[in-house]
Amino acid sequence: MTGTLAAKGILLTPQPNEPHDRDFPSSSDPKLFTPGPLTTSAAVKQAMGHDIGAWDAPLIAMVKEIRDGLLKAAEVSREMGWDVTLQPGSGTFGVESMLGSLTPTDGKLLLIANGAYGERLIKIAKMLKIDTVELRFAENEPACAEVVAKTLAEHPDVTGVGLIHCETTTGMNNDIAAVGKAVKQAGKTYFVDAMSSFGAMPIDFEANGIDVLVSSANKCMEGVPGFSFVFAKTALLEQARDEKWARSHSLDLADQWQGQQTHGRFRFTPPNQVLLAFRQAMREFFAEGGVPAREARYKENYQTLVDGMAELGFGEFLARDKQSHIITTFLCPADDKYDFMTFYNKLSDRGFVIYPGKVTGSDCFRIGNIGRLYKRDMQGLLLAMGEVIKEMGFGTTPAASKTREAVAV
């Protein structure tokens, strides 16, 4: 692979304006063009090679550094009435902890879906036996604030509204500001799932009317899987704790927050190695320049990708003005010689890992632009795709897509 790509003008070693070699994975690691877990720096991997006691002062200090750093990254503070809680498990654990702990025992949620992760919000709420109003939009259309406002007017007993910021099913950006305005005008609690956007897009918590926001260690902060983090208004956490809203013992967010705020520890076994990796990832995040620098790098990755895929003949599922720079969904070729798993495996054999599609009724695949990836990595992927297309012998005319119509329930 190295010889082929180098011969085509793609340099496989970092250039002077890029991070040092030690910041890149070893040559034996594949590059992950996925929405997470994703490619991490060598220093992040190396940070996990230590043992640390669950009750020791170094761990307590590390938890404090991470929580303080996340508040800084979010541009909120305890003085502003915010705090952040680390919750073991994947991002979905954080979502369930958020909905299950911060919805009143007699509360009712309006949950908005235009993809698989919005559907997951709905499924979690139903499993927790929370009364839920379901509001759906087509997978190629963003959530409409006017429809949200109308639905809230029809259901005045709703106490909270949940929305995905970047719907990873397609790469769609939902307008959290416009929806947030409708939610605040109705006087409801606003839950935002920013799993795939936090750290790579500026998010003004106060201006957008956000009360709770959840994300994960292994997304745009470029850590490894193992914990999520939930930002919430302190007053809401205190109310949930005092009135005992939690529907789960292990996922009791208010209790977890109180423990971390009081003595800096997790209630149960902490994910020590994951925390070590995240501390390093967070330090790299700030060293790179925070959200503006990371957003710029990911946008360059995105532009390189979509321009190159267009040259190869692949169509995009979403119109350009609806896409984020996080992950992009491409329509599969209609040619009978194309088979996704063969395509996937041949790219994987070359060291490039992409992602299957999740869109209802559309044959597609996804490519992520996040993680420790740079323009040259996107160029390398594109060259590898050109080789695979030639090897498999298929044409790249995309198949027609089918999406659901918007449905309000």
Side-chain angles (χ1 to χ4, degrees), residues 58-234:
L59 179 71
I60 294 170
M62 178 167 59
V63 169
K64 182 179 187 306
E65 180 182 343
I66 290 172
R67 293 177 71 221
D68 290 348
L70 284 169
L71 290 170
K72 179 182 175 182
E75 297 185 344
V76 294
S77 66
R78 295 183 180 95
E79 291 71 29
M80 293 168 61
W82 286 89
D83 212 342
V84 63
T85 307
L86 312 184
Q87 186 68 277
S90 70
T92 302
F93 283 60
V95 171
E96 184 160 340
S97 178
M98 169 183 77
L99 295 180
S101 302
L102 302 183
T103 302
T105 50
D106 60 349
K108 184 174 184 177
L109 294 175
L110 168 61
L111 298 177
I112 303 163
N114 56 352
Y117 298 92
E119 294 295 338
R120 188 175 294 179
L121 288 179
I122 293 169
K123 184 172 184 178
I124 287 170
K126 285 184 170 181
M127 291 290 289
L128 294 173
K129 295 181 169 51
I130 298 173
D131 195 6
T132 303
V133 177
E134 303 167 30
L135 178 59
R136 292 184 173 86
F137 298 89
E139 290 168 310
N140 60 351
E141 292 294 335
C144 175
E146 288 78 10
V147 176
V148 172
K150 180 175 180 291
T151 307
L152 285 171
E154 293 168 352
H155 298 273
D157 54 341
V158 161
T159 57
V161 178
L163 176 68
I164 309 293
H165 184 194
C166 177
E167 178 48 80
T168 318
T169 303
T170 58
M172 168 95 66
N173 261 352
N174 284 309
D175 189 343
I176 56 172
V179 172
K181 184 177 180 181
V183 173
K184 290 298 102 178
Q185 286 177 342
K188 314 301 182 184
T189 300
Y190 191 22
F191 299 96
V192 173
D193 178 334
M195 209 63 62
S196 293
S197 59
F198 181 81
M201 297 181 190
I203 301 173
D204 189 325
F205 284 42
E206 295 289 338
N208 292 341
I210 298 169
D211 296 292
V212 189
L213 183 143
V214 60
S215 192
S216 179
N218 60 287
K219 295 287 189 174
C220 297
M221 293 299 290
E222 298 187 2
V224 301
F227 76 90
S228 57
F229 44 90
V230 184
F231 298 92
K233 294 280 186 69
T234 306

Side-chain angles (χ1 to χ4, degrees), residues 309-310 312-318 328-332 365 396-399:
M309 291 293 279
L312 289 173
F314 287 96
E316 296 155 36
F317 177 74
L318 293 177
T328 312
T329 298
F330 295 95
L331 298 171
C332 292
F365 61 89
T396 52
T397 303

